Amino acid sequence: PRTSVITGSASGIGKATRELLEGRGERVIGVDIHDADVVADLATTDGRTAMVDAVRTAAGGSIDAVYAVAGLALPAPATVAVNYFGTVATLEGLRPLLAGSDAPRALLVSSMAALMATDDELVALLAAGDEPAALARAEVLAKEPAATGQLIYSSTKLGLSRWVRRRAAAGEWAGAGIPLNAVSPGIIATPMTADLIATPEGREALLGIVPMPLNGIAEPIVVARLLAWLNSPDNTHLCGQVIYVDGGSDVVLRGDSV
Ligand code: NAD
């Protein structure tokens, strides 16, 4: 059976993915800040290093797939640390462990929020890989009105989608036989969105910003099924894509751009 590592495995999309894979008889090493096989704080460099070490030990040296799902939606610098730098460190740190697999796969979870307003300065600092400066910029944005705080989240997700586009064709990914992709969900019913979608008024307001003409707000299993296919041996050629599983938000917002 394949061995997969899932960050954010304790809740929401990560948890649904874990249950789906385990239901198929696959082995999952869950990573999270609580209730996981490997408990680690992906907001810190020490936590990221400890996570890679613990996964290597738990896996016995080799893994088949990485699902970088963990994320935060707080209008705070921690969102930059977890969403962008924690995700990139997860994929880069665990990549060597994929070398022993005959069907290595990797993906991250971005968001359709990447299509919303973002902060150019923060996005540029993410592209430069400058964590201290990116955290400092987020500190400034966090002190501004709530609408500006949302820029932190959307900027981290734009940064992640672009990171996949920049890295996927490189020697260490495609060149090493590893498809690397991003999945961008629309609104998914998880603890991350629970407060926002608890009332009909809340749901209506959110769907006004994130239109989902096809079937509306989705359950996390919907995303999990796509993640599981992308990271399965069946995916031999889907590479460097940012796939929207969003009930149509992307087509509503971006029309016929491709
Ligand atoms: P969730 O809050 O249910 O799960 C996120 C998990 O990440 C939690 O278990 C949490 O403990 C973990 N995590 C947070 N900080 C961490 C840290 N420092 N170290 C380790 N683990 C940490 O949310 P979800 O909706 O399942 O989100 C999963 C991913 O999907 C996130 O990247 C999120 O941005 C993305 N996403 C969610 C939605 C949505 O509508 N729910 C939409 C688009 C994208």
Side-chain angles (χ1 to χ4, degrees):
R2 286 168 74 71
T3 297
S4 296
V5 177
I6 302 177
T7 71
S9 63
S11 177
I13 295 168
K15 185 178 180 196
T17 306
R18 170 177 210 142
E19 289 167 359
L20 180 65
L21 296 180
E22 288 181 340
R24 295 175 179 176
E26 297 190 23
R27 177 171 179 223
V28 172
I29 299 172
V31 176
D32 209 299
I33 202 161
H34 60 89
D35 298 307
D37 306 301
V38 171
V39 173
D41 182 358
L42 297 173
T44 68
T45 39
D46 286 353
R48 296 165 196 157
T49 307
M51 180 277 289
V52 172
D53 289 343
V55 167
R56 190 185 300 111
T57 303
S62 180
I63 59 175
D64 297 292
V66 179
Y67 296 74
V69 184
L72 275 182
L74 300 173
T79 296
V80 168
V82 177
N83 292 15
Y84 188 82
F85 293 98
T87 297
V88 169
T90 295
L91 289 161
E92 290 185 337
L94 295 177
R95 193 187 59 234
L97 302 184
L98 291 166
S101 172
D102 54 11
R105 305 285 181 264
L107 60 76
L108 61 79
V109 175
S110 182
S111 172
M112 64 75 55
L115 300 177
M116 306 288 180
T118 53
D119 180 66
D120 290 345
E121 187 176 334
L122 178 53
V123 172
L125 292 168
L126 299 178
D130 189 340
E131 186 164 7
L135 292 174
R137 177 63 188 158
E139 197 78 63
V140 172
L141 293 174
K143 293 200 182 87
E144 291 174 11
T148 314
Q150 266 313 109
L151 292 175
I152 297 174
Y153 181 78
S154 60
S155 300
T156 64
K157 296 302 190 174
L158 181 60
L160 287 178
S161 295
R162 288 189 175 164
W163 184 82
V164 165
R165 298 293 294 174
R166 285 198 308 272
R167 301 310 307 154
E172 71 268 29
W173 294 104
I178 311 171
L180 172 67
N181 291 286
V183 168
S184 291
I187 307 163
I188 312 300
T190 71
M192 183 179 277
T193 54
D195 290 346
L196 294 171
I197 65 176
T199 63
E201 298 74 34
R203 285 195 290 279
E204 204 178 313
L206 198 54
L207 286 166
I209 303 166
V210 183
M212 297 180 71
L214 179 69
N215 294 328
I217 296 170
E219 293 299 317
I221 182 65
V222 169
V223 181
R225 289 190 191 109
L226 174 62
L227 303 185
W229 185 82
L230 284 170
N231 267 359
S232 75
D234 281 352
N235 177 22
T236 56
H237 285 76
L238 201 152
C239 170
Q241 296 302 307
V242 178
I243 304 180
Y244 291 87
V245 54
D246 63 356
S249 310
D250 171 47
V251 283
V252 173
L253 295 171
R254 291 202 306 157
D256 64 2
S257 348
V258 290

